[in-house]
Amino acid sequence: MTPLLTAQARLERYIERQGLKQTRQRSVILEAFLAAGSHLSVEEVLRAVQAVQPAIGAATVYRTLKLFVEAGLAHERNFGDGQARYEAAHDDEHHDHLICTDCHTIFEFEEPEIERRQAEVADKHGIRLRSHRHEIYGECVERERCPRWPRS
Amino acid sequence: MTPLLTAQARLERYIERQGLKQTRQRSVILEAFLAAGSHLSVEEVLRAVQAVQPAIGAATVYRTLKLFVEAGLAHERNFGDGQARYEAAHDDEHHDHLICTDCHTIFEFEEPEIERRQAEVADKHGIRLRSHRHEIYGECVERERCPRWPRS
DNA sequence: ATGAATGCAAATAGTTTGCACCTAA
DNA sequence: TTAGGTGCAAACTATTTGCATTCAT
């Protein structure tokens, strides 16, 4: 389960291969990003980053998160609330999402049969499958267990 | 296959029930929206509308498309290009989307087994399924058939 | 008459970009 | 030394909102 290379090492490798430069900001942002949780908005990452290095600006965080995606270290998600969310990539693992529209809890799921049918569909339409997005929206059945259901 | 009520009639019924008002704009926008195609951006709808009634403003189109969604006449889609797209609702029909990332062609698909598994997943997590989004991205296998593959 | 709808312009939110300065290689 | 990176502020894009005016009921 332990990756062959740490995320920091994978970032370094990518940066080197692309002829880019290693910077303090990039490593700080990666560390904060990995530590802060999952499905984070840019704003959330920015907050975590600035807790450590207040001088790091929002533009850098935007640029760096995109770099992480290119480097295969993160995935960008869009759950329809108008802001991008980022999630650390765990190699070889794939999952889709289930979102409670009341409390915004995000569950992850994996359903090989769905993946298989999906591949068939792409095939049938003459499309080379590159990626997909599959999200299920609903509400927690037991509201008592749902931490943030609407108050009113 | 012919709906029991025309879209215009369904809109009128919704407007009446909600105590809203019938306006020339709403009926013009609905007509243009239905005639102009599918998976249209607001800008595209606006163009179609203004071809008929140049005085109708963008804000009205935004507001009216949301009204159509509330009335069950349209679906809002988000294919990750940062702008909402609208599609006429055909009652009782449901489909998901397959998008060519080169030519932006949008195919529709329906896969009951996927729907079924999806319902199971929601169940398993204690979520009452309300809606979902399932999109498959890839490129046309035969570029010659793909009307807009990148030139460079 | 009166409350809703419209059209405009201004405001917003998230994100991107231009540019002068900084820094890793 | 010198390309690439950073931080700030300004620009951008899609969308929403405030408000005076118009219109359906």
Side-chain angles (χ1 to χ4, degrees), chain B residues 23-137:
Chain B
T23 66
R24 183 182 44 81
Q25 286 86 333
R26 285 173 175 168
S27 112
V28 167
I29 294 170
L30 180 55
E31 186 156 2
F33 168 62
L34 294 174
S38 200
H39 313 109
L40 300 164
S41 66
V42 177
E43 203 196 345
E44 288 167 333
V45 176
L46 179 62
R47 261 203 294 279
V49 164
Q50 292 190 332
V52 183
Q53 293 279 331
I56 293 178
T60 301
V61 172
Y62 274 100
R63 289 187 276 231
T64 304
L65 287 170
K66 286 201 182 305
L67 178 73
F68 293 170
V69 172
E70 283 162 33
L73 291 165
H75 295 300
E76 184 180 327
R77 307 281 181 201
N78 253 277
F79 297 138
D81 61 346
Q83 63 188 331
R85 291 181 179 277
Y86 291 85
E87 164 180 12
H90 299 290
D91 19 29
D92 299 329
E93 282 184 275
H94 164 75
H95 59 257
D96 292 293
H97 299 89
L98 206 120
I99 298 119
C100 173
T101 48
D102 286 341
C103 67
H104 303 106
T105 300
I106 299 169
F107 301 92
E108 301 177 348
F109 72 90
E110 233 188 305
E111 201 60 37
E113 183 60 23
I114 291 180
E115 306 283 322
R116 204 170 306 129
R117 300 260 170 179
Q118 195 176 238
E120 282 173 24
V121 168
D123 227 55
K124 198 185 306 174
H125 288 268
I127 295 282
R128 178 175 299 116
L129 196 161
R130 290 294 189 203
S131 67
H132 71 273
R133 175 201 275 184
H134 192 176
E135 291 140 26
I136 302 176
Y137 297 89

Side-chain angles (χ1 to χ4, degrees), chain A residues 7-57:
Chain A
Q8 291 284 355
R10 294 211 285 152
L11 179 58
E12 278 171 39
R13 192 182 54 175
Y14 179 80
I15 283 176
E16 189 162 351
R17 282 187 183 171
Q18 303 295 309
L20 306 178
K21 284 171 181 168
Q22 200 63 44
T23 66
R24 183 182 44 81
Q25 287 85 334
R26 285 173 175 171
S27 113
V28 167
I29 293 170
L30 180 54
E31 185 157 3
F33 169 61
L34 294 176
S38 199
H39 312 109
L40 299 165
S41 65
V42 178
E43 202 196 347
E44 289 167 333
V45 177
L46 179 62
R47 260 202 295 278
V49 164
Q50 292 191 331
V52 183
Q53 292 279 334
I56 294 179

Side-chain angles (χ1 to χ4, degrees), chain A residues 3-16 18 20 22 26-27 29-31 33-35 37-40 63-77 85-93 95:
Chain A
L4 302 175
L5 292 162
T6 65
Q8 291 284 355
R10 294 211 285 152
L11 179 58
E12 278 171 39
R13 192 182 54 175
Y14 179 80
I15 283 176
E16 189 162 351
Q18 303 295 309
L20 306 178
Q22 200 63 44
R26 285 173 175 171
S27 113
I29 293 170
L30 180 54
E31 185 157 3
F33 169 61
L34 294 176
S38 199
H39 312 109
L40 299 165
R63 290 188 275 232
T64 303
L65 287 170
K66 286 202 183 302
L67 177 73
F68 293 170
V69 172
E70 283 163 31
L73 291 165
H75 294 299
E76 183 179 329
R77 308 281 181 201
R85 291 180 179 277
Y86 292 85
E87 163 179 15
H90 299 289
D91 20 29
D92 299 328
E93 282 185 273
H95 59 256

